[in-house]
Amino acid sequence: MQDDDSVEVFPGQVQYFFEHEVNLPGRKQTHRLAYVRWFLPAPARFHCHINNDIKSCNIEIWTDKFYDISRDCIIPVHNILSRFIPNSFNIGRTKYMAVIPIGRHFHM
């Protein structure tokens, strides 16, 4: 979520899930977290479409490389939106990753 209330969605690869416990006065709180490596976006925006209808295809083009490890790699599991199917995608001589979202959301 951004400062202007817009939401950005990035594909990532969950490396592992873990729990973190915090002992507060009078109660113990457990947080379920995921360690995620986030894929880098493609340097240019590509649009896939069928019969000149840009809304007919929901494939996104990303690189198969990751952002550097940072605090953004640890997220609550409820912030995982859904799964996707990765596929190799070549544009000219450059290899990209086609991200094909699966319509179901991930619930824990």
Side-chain angles (χ1 to χ4, degrees), residues 11-97:
Q13 183 181 75
V14 174
Q15 303 287 308
Y16 55 87
F17 296 99
F18 63 100
E19 290 184 346
H20 180 261
E21 289 184 2
V22 178
N23 291 315
L24 301 171
R27 66 182 174 144
K28 178 171 71 170
Q29 194 167 14
T30 302
H31 300 277
R32 290 176 179 81
L33 306 166
Y35 181 82
V36 180
R37 295 295 312 269
W38 300 106
F39 290 105
L40 286 165
R45 280 301 211 187
F46 299 100
H47 299 282
C48 300
H49 59 274
I50 300 169
N51 296 330
N52 293 325
D53 180 11
I54 199 160
K55 294 181 179 181
S56 63
C57 188
N58 63 348
I59 296 173
E60 299 176 10
I61 306 300
W62 293 77
T63 67
D64 59 354
K65 306 214 177 350
F66 296 113
Y67 278 102
D68 291 336
I69 294 172
S70 71
R71 65 182 182 181
D72 295 330
C73 293
I74 298 174
I75 64 168
V77 294
H78 64 268
N79 284 356
I80 297 173
L81 178 64
S82 65
R83 296 183 292 175
F84 66 91
I85 300 168
N87 194 9
S88 181
F89 194 86
N90 293 321
I91 299 174
R93 295 182 181 193
T94 307
K95 181 181 174 186
Y96 293 100
M97 178 179 62

Coordinates of all heavy atoms in Angstrom, one line a residue, residues 11-97:
P11 N 5.2 -10.0 -8.1 CA 5.4 -11.5 -8.0 C 6.7 -11.7 -7.2 O 7.6 -11.0 -7.2 CB 5.6 -11.9 -9.4 CG 6.1 -10.7 -10.2 CD 5.6 -9.5 -9.5
G12 N 6.6 -12.8 -6.4 CA 7.7 -13.2 -5.6 C 7.7 -14.7 -5.4 O 6.8 -15.4 -5.8
Q13 N 8.8 -15.2 -4.8 CA 9.0 -16.6 -4.6 C 9.1 -16.8 -3.1 O 10.1 -16.3 -2.5 CB 10.2 -17.1 -5.3 CG 10.5 -18.6 -5.1 CD 11.7 -19.0 -5.9 OE1 12.8 -18.7 -5.4 NE2 11.6 -19.6 -7.0
V14 N 8.2 -17.5 -2.5 CA 8.2 -17.7 -1.0 C 9.3 -18.7 -0.8 O 9.3 -19.8 -1.3 CB 6.9 -18.2 -0.5 CG1 7.0 -18.6 1.0 CG2 5.8 -17.2 -0.7
Q15 N 10.3 -18.3 0.1 CA 11.4 -19.2 0.4 C 11.0 -20.1 1.6 O 11.4 -21.2 1.6 CB 12.6 -18.3 0.8 CG 13.1 -17.4 -0.3 CD 13.7 -18.0 -1.5 OE1 14.6 -18.8 -1.3 NE2 13.2 -17.8 -2.7
Y16 N 10.3 -19.5 2.6 CA 9.9 -20.3 3.7 C 8.9 -19.5 4.5 O 8.8 -18.3 4.4 CB 11.0 -20.8 4.6 CG 11.9 -19.7 5.1 CD1 11.7 -19.0 6.3 CD2 13.1 -19.4 4.4 CE1 12.5 -18.0 6.8 CE2 14.0 -18.4 4.9 CZ 13.7 -17.7 6.1 OH 14.5 -16.8 6.5
F17 N 8.1 -20.2 5.3 CA 7.2 -19.6 6.3 C 7.7 -19.8 7.7 O 8.4 -20.8 8.0 CB 5.8 -20.3 6.2 CG 5.1 -20.1 4.9 CD1 5.1 -21.1 3.9 CD2 4.4 -19.0 4.6 CE1 4.5 -21.0 2.7 CE2 3.7 -18.8 3.4 CZ 3.8 -19.8 2.4
F18 N 7.4 -18.9 8.6 CA 7.8 -19.0 10.0 C 6.9 -18.3 10.9 O 6.1 -17.5 10.5 CB 9.3 -18.6 10.2 CG 9.5 -17.1 9.9 CD1 9.6 -16.2 10.9 CD2 9.7 -16.7 8.6 CE1 9.9 -14.9 10.7 CE2 10.0 -15.3 8.3 CZ 10.1 -14.4 9.4
E19 N 7.0 -18.6 12.2 CA 6.2 -17.9 13.2 C 7.1 -17.1 14.1 O 8.2 -17.6 14.4 CB 5.4 -18.9 14.0 CG 4.3 -19.6 13.3 CD 3.5 -20.5 14.2 OE1 3.9 -20.8 15.3 OE2 2.4 -20.9 13.7
H20 N 6.6 -16.0 14.6 CA 7.4 -15.1 15.5 C 6.5 -14.9 16.7 O 5.3 -14.4 16.5 CB 7.8 -13.8 14.8 CG 8.5 -12.9 15.7 ND1 7.9 -11.9 16.3 CD2 9.8 -12.9 16.1 CE1 8.8 -11.2 17.1 NE2 10.0 -11.8 16.9
E21 N 6.9 -15.2 17.9 CA 6.2 -15.0 19.1 C 6.7 -13.7 19.8 O 7.9 -13.5 20.0 CB 6.2 -16.2 20.0 CG 5.5 -17.4 19.5 CD 5.5 -18.5 20.5 OE1 6.1 -18.4 21.6 OE2 5.0 -19.6 20.1
V22 N 5.7 -12.9 20.3 CA 6.0 -11.8 21.1 C 5.3 -12.0 22.5 O 4.1 -12.2 22.5 CB 5.6 -10.5 20.5 CG1 5.9 -9.3 21.4 CG2 6.2 -10.3 19.1
N23 N 6.1 -11.9 23.6 CA 5.5 -12.1 24.9 C 5.3 -10.7 25.5 O 6.2 -9.9 25.8 CB 6.4 -12.9 25.8 CG 6.5 -14.3 25.4 OD1 5.5 -14.9 25.1 ND2 7.7 -14.9 25.4
L24 N 4.0 -10.3 25.5 CA 3.6 -9.0 26.0 C 3.0 -9.2 27.4 O 2.6 -10.3 27.8 CB 2.5 -8.4 25.1 CG 2.9 -8.2 23.6 CD1 1.8 -7.8 22.8 CD2 4.0 -7.1 23.6
P25 N 3.0 -8.2 28.2 CA 2.4 -8.3 29.6 C 1.0 -8.8 29.5 O 0.1 -8.2 28.9 CB 2.5 -6.9 30.2 CG 3.5 -6.2 29.4 CD 3.5 -6.8 28.0
G26 N 0.8 -10.0 30.1 CA -0.6 -10.6 30.1 C -1.0 -11.4 28.9 O -2.1 -12.0 28.9
R27 N -0.2 -11.4 27.9 CA -0.6 -12.2 26.7 C 0.6 -12.5 25.8 O 1.6 -11.8 25.8 CB -1.7 -11.5 25.9 CG -1.2 -10.3 25.2 CD -2.3 -9.6 24.5 NE -1.8 -8.3 24.0 CZ -2.1 -7.7 22.9 NH1 -3.0 -8.3 22.1 NH2 -1.6 -6.6 22.6
K28 N 0.5 -13.5 25.0 CA 1.5 -13.9 24.1 C 0.9 -13.8 22.7 O -0.2 -14.2 22.4 CB 2.0 -15.3 24.3 CG 3.0 -15.8 23.3 CD 3.6 -17.1 23.7 CE 2.6 -18.2 23.5 NZ 3.2 -19.6 23.6
Q29 N 1.6 -13.1 21.7 CA 1.1 -12.9 20.4 C 2.0 -13.6 19.4 O 3.2 -13.5 19.4 CB 1.0 -11.4 20.1 CG 0.2 -11.1 18.9 CD -0.1 -9.6 18.8 OE1 0.5 -8.8 19.5 NE2 -1.1 -9.2 18.0
T30 N 1.3 -14.4 18.5 CA 2.1 -15.1 17.5 C 1.8 -14.5 16.1 O 0.6 -14.3 15.7 CB 1.7 -16.6 17.5 OG1 2.0 -17.1 18.8 CG2 2.5 -17.4 16.4
H31 N 2.8 -14.2 15.3 CA 2.7 -13.7 14.0 C 3.2 -14.8 13.0 O 4.2 -15.3 13.2 CB 3.5 -12.4 13.8 CG 3.1 -11.3 14.7 ND1 2.1 -10.5 14.5 CD2 3.7 -11.0 15.9 CE1 2.0 -9.6 15.5 NE2 2.9 -9.9 16.4
R32 N 2.4 -15.0 12.0 CA 2.8 -15.9 10.9 C 3.3 -15.1 9.7 O 2.6 -14.3 9.2 CB 1.6 -16.8 10.5 CG 1.2 -17.8 11.6 CD 0.0 -18.6 11.3 NE -0.3 -19.5 12.4 CZ -0.9 -19.2 13.5 NH1 -1.3 -18.0 13.7 NH2 -1.1 -20.1 14.4
L33 N 4.6 -15.4 9.4 CA 5.3 -14.6 8.4 C 5.8 -15.4 7.3 O 5.9 -16.7 7.4 CB 6.4 -13.8 9.1 CG 6.0 -13.0 10.3 CD1 7.3 -12.5 11.0 CD2 5.2 -11.8 9.8
A34 N 6.1 -14.8 6.2 CA 6.7 -15.4 5.0 C 8.0 -14.7 4.6 O 8.0 -13.4 4.7 CB 5.8 -15.5 3.8
Y35 N 9.0 -15.4 4.3 CA 10.2 -14.8 3.7 C 10.1 -14.9 2.2 O 10.1 -16.0 1.7 CB 11.5 -15.5 4.2 CG 12.8 -14.9 3.7 CD1 13.3 -13.7 4.3 CD2 13.4 -15.4 2.7 CE1 14.4 -13.1 3.9 CE2 14.6 -14.8 2.2 CZ 15.1 -13.7 2.8 OH 16.2 -13.1 2.3
V36 N 10.0 -13.8 1.5 CA 9.8 -13.8 0.1 C 10.9 -13.1 -0.7 O 11.4 -12.0 -0.3 CB 8.4 -13.0 -0.2 CG1 8.2 -13.0 -1.7 CG2 7.3 -13.7 0.5
R37 N 11.4 -13.7 -1.8 CA 12.3 -13.0 -2.7 C 11.4 -12.4 -3.8 O 10.7 -13.1 -4.5 CB 13.3 -13.9 -3.3 CG 14.3 -14.5 -2.3 CD 15.2 -13.5 -1.6 NE 15.9 -12.6 -2.5 CZ 17.1 -12.8 -3.0 NH1 17.8 -13.9 -2.8 NH2 17.6 -11.9 -3.8
W38 N 11.6 -11.1 -4.1 CA 10.7 -10.4 -5.0 C 11.4 -10.3 -6.4 O 12.6 -9.9 -6.4 CB 10.4 -9.0 -4.5 CG 9.7 -9.0 -3.2 CD1 10.2 -8.7 -2.0 CD2 8.3 -9.4 -3.0 NE1 9.2 -8.9 -1.0 CE2 8.0 -9.3 -1.6 CE3 7.3 -9.8 -3.8 CZ2 6.8 -9.6 -1.1 CZ3 6.1 -10.1 -3.3 CH2 5.8 -10.0 -1.9
F39 N 10.7 -10.6 -7.4 CA 11.3 -10.5 -8.8 C 11.4 -9.0 -9.2 O 10.5 -8.2 -8.9 CB 10.4 -11.2 -9.8 CG 10.5 -12.7 -9.6 CD1 9.4 -13.4 -9.0 CD2 11.6 -13.4 -10.0 CE1 9.5 -14.8 -8.9 CE2 11.7 -14.8 -9.8 CZ 10.6 -15.5 -9.3
L40 N 12.4 -8.7 -10.0 CA 12.6 -7.4 -10.6 C 11.7 -7.2 -11.8 O 11.5 -8.2 -12.6 CB 14.0 -7.2 -11.1 CG 15.1 -7.0 -9.9 CD1 16.5 -7.2 -10.5 CD2 14.9 -5.6 -9.4
P41 N 11.1 -6.0 -12.0 CA 10.3 -5.8 -13.2 C 11.1 -5.7 -14.5 O 12.3 -5.5 -14.4 CB 9.6 -4.4 -12.9 CG 10.5 -3.8 -11.9 CD 11.2 -4.9 -11.1
A42 N 10.5 -6.0 -15.6 CA 11.1 -5.9 -16.9 C 11.4 -4.4 -17.1 O 10.7 -3.5 -16.6 CB 10.2 -6.4 -18.0
P43 N 12.5 -4.0 -17.8 CA 12.9 -2.6 -18.0 C 11.9 -1.9 -18.8 O 11.8 -0.6 -18.7 CB 14.2 -2.7 -18.7 CG 14.3 -4.1 -19.3 CD 13.5 -5.0 -18.4
A44 N 11.1 -2.5 -19.6 CA 10.1 -1.9 -20.4 C 8.7 -2.6 -20.2 O 8.7 -3.8 -19.9 CB 10.4 -1.9 -21.9
R45 N 7.6 -1.9 -20.4 CA 6.3 -2.5 -20.2 C 5.9 -3.1 -21.5 O 6.0 -2.5 -22.6 CB 5.3 -1.4 -19.8 CG 5.3 -1.1 -18.4 CD 5.0 -2.3 -17.6 NE 4.4 -2.0 -16.4 CZ 4.1 -2.9 -15.5 NH1 4.5 -4.1 -15.7 NH2 3.5 -2.7 -14.4
F46 N 5.5 -4.4 -21.5 CA 5.0 -5.1 -22.6 C 3.5 -5.4 -22.4 O 3.1 -5.7 -21.3 CB 5.8 -6.4 -22.8 CG 7.2 -6.2 -23.1 CD1 8.2 -6.3 -22.1 CD2 7.7 -5.8 -24.3 CE1 9.5 -6.1 -22.3 CE2 9.0 -5.6 -24.6 CZ 9.9 -5.7 -23.5
H47 N 2.7 -5.4 -23.4 CA 1.3 -5.7 -23.3 C 1.0 -6.9 -24.2 O 1.4 -6.9 -25.4 CB 0.5 -4.5 -23.8 CG 0.7 -3.3 -22.9 ND1 0.1 -3.2 -21.6 CD2 1.4 -2.2 -23.1 CE1 0.5 -2.0 -21.1 NE2 1.2 -1.4 -22.0
C48 N 0.4 -7.9 -23.7 CA -0.1 -9.0 -24.4 C -1.6 -8.8 -24.7 O -2.3 -8.4 -23.8 CB 0.1 -10.3 -23.7 SG 1.9 -10.6 -23.3
H49 N -2.1 -9.2 -25.9 CA -3.5 -9.0 -26.1 C -3.9 -10.0 -27.2 O -3.1 -10.6 -28.0 CB -3.8 -7.6 -26.6 CG -3.1 -7.1 -27.8 ND1 -1.9 -6.6 -27.7 CD2 -3.5 -7.1 -29.1 CE1 -1.5 -6.2 -28.9 NE2 -2.4 -6.6 -29.8
I50 N -5.2 -10.3 -27.3 CA -5.8 -11.1 -28.3 C -6.8 -10.3 -29.1 O -7.6 -9.6 -28.5 CB -6.5 -12.3 -27.6 CG1 -5.6 -13.1 -26.8 CG2 -7.2 -13.2 -28.6 CD1 -6.2 -14.1 -25.8
N51 N -6.6 -10.4 -30.4 CA -7.5 -9.6 -31.3 C -7.6 -8.1 -31.0 O -8.6 -7.5 -30.9 CB -8.9 -10.2 -31.4 CG -8.9 -11.6 -31.9 OD1 -8.1 -11.9 -32.8 ND2 -9.9 -12.4 -31.5
N52 N -6.4 -7.5 -30.7 CA -6.3 -6.1 -30.4 C -7.1 -5.6 -29.1 O -7.4 -4.5 -29.0 CB -6.7 -5.2 -31.6 CG -5.7 -5.4 -32.7 OD1 -4.5 -5.5 -32.5 ND2 -6.2 -5.3 -33.9
D53 N -7.4 -6.6 -28.3 CA -8.1 -6.3 -27.0 C -7.1 -6.4 -25.9 O -6.9 -7.6 -25.5 CB -9.4 -7.2 -26.8 CG -10.1 -6.9 -25.5 OD1 -9.8 -5.8 -24.9 OD2 -11.0 -7.7 -25.2
I54 N -6.6 -5.3 -25.3 CA -5.6 -5.4 -24.3 C -6.1 -6.0 -23.0 O -5.3 -6.6 -22.2 CB -4.9 -4.0 -24.1 CG1 -3.6 -4.2 -23.4 CG2 -5.8 -3.1 -23.3 CD1 -2.7 -3.0 -23.5
K55 N -7.4 -6.0 -22.7 CA -7.9 -6.5 -21.5 C -8.2 -8.1 -21.6 O -8.6 -8.7 -20.7 CB -9.2 -5.8 -21.2 CG -9.0 -4.4 -20.8 CD -10.3 -3.7 -20.4 CE -10.1 -2.3 -20.0 NZ -11.3 -1.6 -19.6
S56 N -7.9 -8.6 -22.8 CA -8.2 -10.1 -23.0 C -7.1 -11.0 -22.4 O -7.2 -12.2 -22.4 CB -8.3 -10.3 -24.5 OG -7.1 -10.1 -25.2
C57 N -6.0 -10.4 -22.0 CA -4.8 -11.2 -21.5 C -4.3 -10.6 -20.3 O -4.1 -9.4 -20.2 CB -3.8 -11.2 -22.6 SG -2.4 -12.3 -22.3
N58 N -4.0 -11.4 -19.2 CA -3.5 -10.9 -18.0 C -2.1 -11.3 -17.7 O -1.6 -11.4 -16.6 CB -4.4 -11.3 -16.8 CG -4.5 -12.8 -16.6 OD1 -4.0 -13.6 -17.5 ND2 -5.0 -13.3 -15.6
I59 N -1.3 -11.6 -18.7 CA 0.1 -12.0 -18.6 C 0.9 -10.7 -18.3 O 0.7 -9.7 -18.9 CB 0.6 -12.7 -19.8 CG1 -0.1 -14.0 -20.0 CG2 2.1 -12.9 -19.7 CD1 0.2 -14.7 -21.4
E60 N 1.8 -10.8 -17.3 CA 2.7 -9.7 -17.0 C 4.2 -10.2 -17.3 O 4.5 -11.4 -17.1 CB 2.6 -9.3 -15.5 CG 1.3 -8.8 -15.2 CD 1.2 -8.6 -13.7 OE1 2.2 -8.6 -13.0 OE2 0.1 -8.3 -13.2
I61 N 5.0 -9.3 -17.8 CA 6.4 -9.7 -18.1 C 7.3 -9.1 -17.0 O 7.3 -7.9 -16.7 CB 6.8 -9.1 -19.5 CG1 5.8 -9.6 -20.5 CG2 8.2 -9.5 -19.8 CD1 5.7 -11.1 -20.7
W62 N 8.1 -10.0 -16.4 CA 9.1 -9.6 -15.3 C 10.4 -10.3 -15.7 O 10.5 -11.1 -16.5 CB 8.6 -10.1 -14.0 CG 7.4 -9.4 -13.5 CD1 6.1 -9.6 -13.9 CD2 7.3 -8.4 -12.5 NE1 5.2 -8.7 -13.3 CE2 5.9 -8.0 -12.4 CE3 8.2 -7.7 -11.7 CZ2 5.5 -7.0 -11.5 CZ3 7.8 -6.7 -10.9 CH2 6.5 -6.4 -10.8
T63 N 11.4 -9.9 -15.0 CA 12.7 -10.6 -15.1 C 12.7 -11.8 -14.2 O 11.8 -11.9 -13.3 CB 13.9 -9.7 -14.8 OG1 13.9 -9.4 -13.4 CG2 13.9 -8.4 -15.6
D64 N 13.6 -12.7 -14.4 CA 13.7 -13.8 -13.4 C 14.8 -13.6 -12.4 O 15.2 -14.5 -11.7 CB 14.0 -15.1 -14.2 CG 15.3 -15.1 -15.0 OD1 15.9 -14.0 -15.1 OD2 15.7 -16.1 -15.6
K65 N 15.2 -12.3 -12.2 CA 16.2 -11.9 -11.2 C 15.4 -11.3 -10.0 O 14.3 -10.8 -10.2 CB 17.2 -10.9 -11.8 CG 17.8 -11.5 -13.0 CD 19.2 -11.1 -13.2 CE 19.9 -11.6 -14.4 NZ 19.3 -12.7 -15.2
F66 N 16.1 -11.3 -8.8 CA 15.4 -10.8 -7.6 C 16.0 -9.5 -7.2 O 17.1 -9.1 -7.5 CB 15.7 -11.8 -6.5 CG 15.1 -13.2 -6.6 CD1 15.9 -14.3 -6.8 CD2 13.7 -13.3 -6.6 CE1 15.3 -15.5 -6.9 CE2 13.1 -14.6 -6.7 CZ 13.9 -15.7 -6.9
Y67 N 15.1 -8.7 -6.5 CA 15.6 -7.5 -5.8 C 16.6 -8.0 -4.7 O 16.6 -9.1 -4.3 CB 14.5 -6.8 -5.0 CG 13.7 -5.9 -5.9 CD1 12.4 -6.3 -6.4 CD2 14.1 -4.6 -6.2 CE1 11.6 -5.4 -7.2 CE2 13.3 -3.7 -6.9 CZ 12.1 -4.1 -7.4 OH 11.4 -3.3 -8.2
D68 N 17.5 -7.1 -4.2 CA 18.4 -7.4 -3.1 C 17.6 -7.7 -1.9 O 16.5 -7.3 -1.7 CB 19.3 -6.2 -2.8 CG 20.3 -5.9 -3.9 OD1 20.6 -6.8 -4.7 OD2 20.7 -4.7 -4.1
I69 N 18.2 -8.5 -1.0 CA 17.5 -8.9 0.2 C 17.4 -7.6 1.1 O 18.3 -6.9 1.3 CB 18.4 -10.0 1.0 CG1 18.4 -11.2 0.1 CG2 17.8 -10.2 2.4 CD1 19.3 -12.3 0.7
S70 N 16.2 -7.4 1.6 CA 15.9 -6.3 2.5 C 14.8 -6.7 3.5 O 14.3 -7.8 3.5 CB 15.5 -5.1 1.7 OG 14.2 -5.3 1.1
R71 N 14.4 -5.7 4.3 CA 13.3 -5.9 5.2 C 12.0 -6.2 4.6 O 11.1 -6.8 5.1 CB 13.2 -4.8 6.2 CG 12.8 -3.5 5.5 CD 12.7 -2.4 6.5 NE 12.3 -1.2 5.8 CZ 12.1 0.0 6.4 NH1 12.4 0.1 7.7 NH2 11.7 1.0 5.7
D72 N 11.9 -5.8 3.3 CA 10.7 -6.0 2.5 C 10.5 -7.5 2.2 O 9.4 -7.9 1.7 CB 10.7 -5.2 1.2 CG 10.6 -3.7 1.4 OD1 10.1 -3.3 2.5 OD2 11.2 -3.0 0.6
C73 N 11.5 -8.3 2.4 CA 11.4 -9.8 2.2 C 10.5 -10.5 3.2 O 10.1 -11.6 3.0 CB 12.8 -10.4 2.1 SG 13.7 -9.8 0.7
I74 N 10.3 -9.9 4.4 CA 9.5 -10.5 5.4 C 8.2 -9.8 5.5 O 8.1 -8.6 5.7 CB 10.2 -10.4 6.8 CG1 11.6 -11.1 6.7 CG2 9.4 -10.9 7.9 CD1 12.4 -10.9 8.0
I75 N 7.1 -10.6 5.2 CA 5.8 -10.1 5.2 C 4.8 -11.0 5.9 O 5.1 -12.2 6.1 CB 5.3 -9.9 3.7 CG1 5.1 -11.3 3.0 CG2 6.1 -8.9 3.0 CD1 4.4 -11.2 1.7
P76 N 3.7 -10.5 6.5 CA 2.7 -11.3 7.1 C 2.1 -12.2 6.0 O 1.9 -11.7 4.8 CB 1.7 -10.3 7.6 CG 2.4 -9.0 7.7 CD 3.4 -9.0 6.6
V77 N 1.8 -13.4 6.3 CA 1.2 -14.3 5.3 C -0.1 -13.8 4.7 O -0.4 -14.1 3.6 CB 1.1 -15.8 5.8 CG1 2.4 -16.4 6.1 CG2 0.1 -15.9 7.0
H78 N -0.9 -13.0 5.5 CA -2.1 -12.5 5.0 C -2.0 -11.5 3.9 O -2.9 -11.1 3.2 CB -3.1 -12.0 6.1 CG -2.5 -10.9 6.8 ND1 -1.8 -11.0 8.0 CD2 -2.7 -9.5 6.6 CE1 -1.5 -9.8 8.4 NE2 -2.0 -8.9 7.6
N79 N -0.7 -11.0 3.7 CA -0.5 -10.1 2.6 C -0.1 -10.8 1.3 O 0.1 -10.1 0.2 CB 0.7 -9.1 2.9 CG 0.3 -8.1 3.9 OD1 -0.9 -8.0 4.3 ND2 1.2 -7.3 4.4
I80 N -0.1 -12.1 1.3 CA 0.1 -12.9 0.0 C -1.2 -12.9 -0.7 O -2.2 -13.4 -0.2 CB 0.6 -14.3 0.3 CG1 2.0 -14.2 1.0 CG2 0.7 -15.1 -1.0 CD1 2.5 -15.6 1.5
L81 N -1.2 -12.3 -1.9 CA -2.5 -12.2 -2.7 C -2.9 -13.5 -3.3 O -4.0 -14.0 -3.1 CB -2.4 -11.1 -3.7 CG -3.6 -10.9 -4.6 CD1 -4.7 -10.4 -3.8 CD2 -3.3 -9.9 -5.7
S82 N -2.1 -14.1 -4.2 CA -2.4 -15.3 -4.9 C -1.2 -16.0 -5.4 O -0.1 -15.4 -5.3 CB -3.4 -15.0 -6.0 OG -2.8 -14.2 -7.0
R83 N -1.4 -17.1 -6.1 CA -0.3 -17.8 -6.7 C -0.3 -17.4 -8.2 O -1.2 -16.8 -8.7 CB -0.4 -19.3 -6.6 CG -0.3 -19.6 -5.1 CD -0.4 -21.1 -4.9 NE -1.8 -21.6 -5.2 CZ -2.1 -22.9 -5.3 NH1 -1.2 -23.8 -5.0 NH2 -3.3 -23.2 -5.6
F84 N 0.8 -17.7 -8.9 CA 1.0 -17.5 -10.3 C 1.8 -18.6 -10.9 O 2.5 -19.4 -10.3 CB 1.6 -16.1 -10.6 CG 3.0 -16.0 -10.2 CD1 4.1 -16.3 -11.1 CD2 3.4 -15.6 -8.9 CE1 5.4 -16.2 -10.7 CE2 4.7 -15.4 -8.5 CZ 5.7 -15.8 -9.4
I85 N 1.7 -18.7 -12.3 CA 2.5 -19.7 -13.0 C 3.6 -18.9 -13.7 O 3.3 -18.0 -14.5 CB 1.6 -20.4 -14.1 CG1 0.4 -21.1 -13.4 CG2 2.4 -21.4 -14.9 CD1 -0.6 -21.6 -14.3
P86 N 4.8 -19.2 -13.4 CA 5.9 -18.6 -14.2 C 6.2 -19.4 -15.5 O 6.1 -20.6 -15.5 CB 7.1 -18.7 -13.2 CG 6.8 -19.9 -12.4 CD 5.3 -20.0 -12.3
N87 N 6.7 -18.6 -16.5 CA 7.0 -19.3 -17.7 C 8.1 -18.5 -18.4 O 8.1 -17.2 -18.3 CB 5.8 -19.4 -18.6 CG 6.0 -20.4 -19.8 OD1 7.0 -21.1 -19.8 ND2 5.1 -20.4 -20.7
S88 N 9.0 -19.1 -19.1 CA 10.0 -18.4 -19.8 C 9.4 -17.7 -21.0 O 8.6 -18.3 -21.7 CB 11.1 -19.5 -20.3 OG 12.1 -18.8 -20.9
F89 N 9.9 -16.5 -21.3 CA 9.3 -15.7 -22.4 C 10.5 -14.9 -23.0 O 11.2 -14.2 -22.3 CB 8.3 -14.8 -21.8 CG 7.4 -14.1 -22.7 CD1 6.2 -14.7 -23.1 CD2 7.7 -12.8 -23.2 CE1 5.3 -14.1 -24.0 CE2 6.8 -12.2 -24.1 CZ 5.6 -12.8 -24.5
N90 N 10.7 -15.1 -24.3 CA 11.7 -14.4 -25.0 C 11.2 -13.3 -25.9 O 10.2 -13.5 -26.6 CB 12.5 -15.4 -25.9 CG 13.3 -16.4 -25.1 OD1 13.8 -16.1 -24.1 ND2 13.3 -17.6 -25.6
I91 N 11.8 -12.1 -25.8 CA 11.5 -11.0 -26.6 C 12.8 -10.6 -27.3 O 13.7 -10.1 -26.7 CB 10.9 -9.8 -25.9 CG1 9.6 -10.2 -25.2 CG2 10.7 -8.6 -26.8 CD1 9.0 -9.2 -24.3
G92 N 12.9 -10.9 -28.6 CA 14.1 -10.8 -29.3 C 15.1 -11.8 -28.7 O 14.8 -13.0 -28.5
R93 N 16.3 -11.3 -28.3 CA 17.3 -12.2 -27.7 C 17.3 -12.1 -26.1 O 18.1 -12.7 -25.5 CB 18.7 -11.8 -28.2 CG 18.8 -12.0 -29.6 CD 20.2 -11.7 -30.1 NE 20.3 -11.9 -31.5 CZ 21.4 -11.9 -32.2 NH1 22.6 -11.7 -31.5 NH2 21.5 -12.1 -33.4
T94 N 16.3 -11.4 -25.6 CA 16.3 -11.2 -24.1 C 15.3 -12.1 -23.5 O 14.1 -12.2 -24.0 CB 15.9 -9.7 -23.8 OG1 16.8 -8.8 -24.5 CG2 16.0 -9.5 -22.3
K95 N 15.7 -12.8 -22.5 CA 14.8 -13.8 -21.8 C 14.1 -13.1 -20.6 O 14.8 -12.4 -19.8 CB 15.7 -14.9 -21.3 CG 14.8 -16.0 -20.6 CD 15.7 -17.1 -20.0 CE 14.9 -18.1 -19.2 NZ 15.8 -19.1 -18.6
Y96 N 12.8 -13.2 -20.5 CA 12.0 -12.7 -19.4 C 11.2 -13.8 -18.8 O 11.2 -15.0 -19.3 CB 11.0 -11.6 -20.0 CG 11.7 -10.4 -20.5 CD1 11.9 -10.2 -21.8 CD2 12.2 -9.4 -19.6 CE1 12.6 -9.0 -22.3 CE2 12.8 -8.3 -20.0 CZ 13.0 -8.1 -21.4 OH 13.6 -7.0 -21.8
M97 N 10.5 -13.5 -17.8 CA 9.6 -14.4 -17.1 C 8.2 -13.9 -17.3 O 7.8 -12.8 -17.0 CB 9.9 -14.5 -15.6 CG 8.9 -15.5 -14.9 SD 9.3 -15.7 -13.2 CE 9.1 -14.0 -12.6

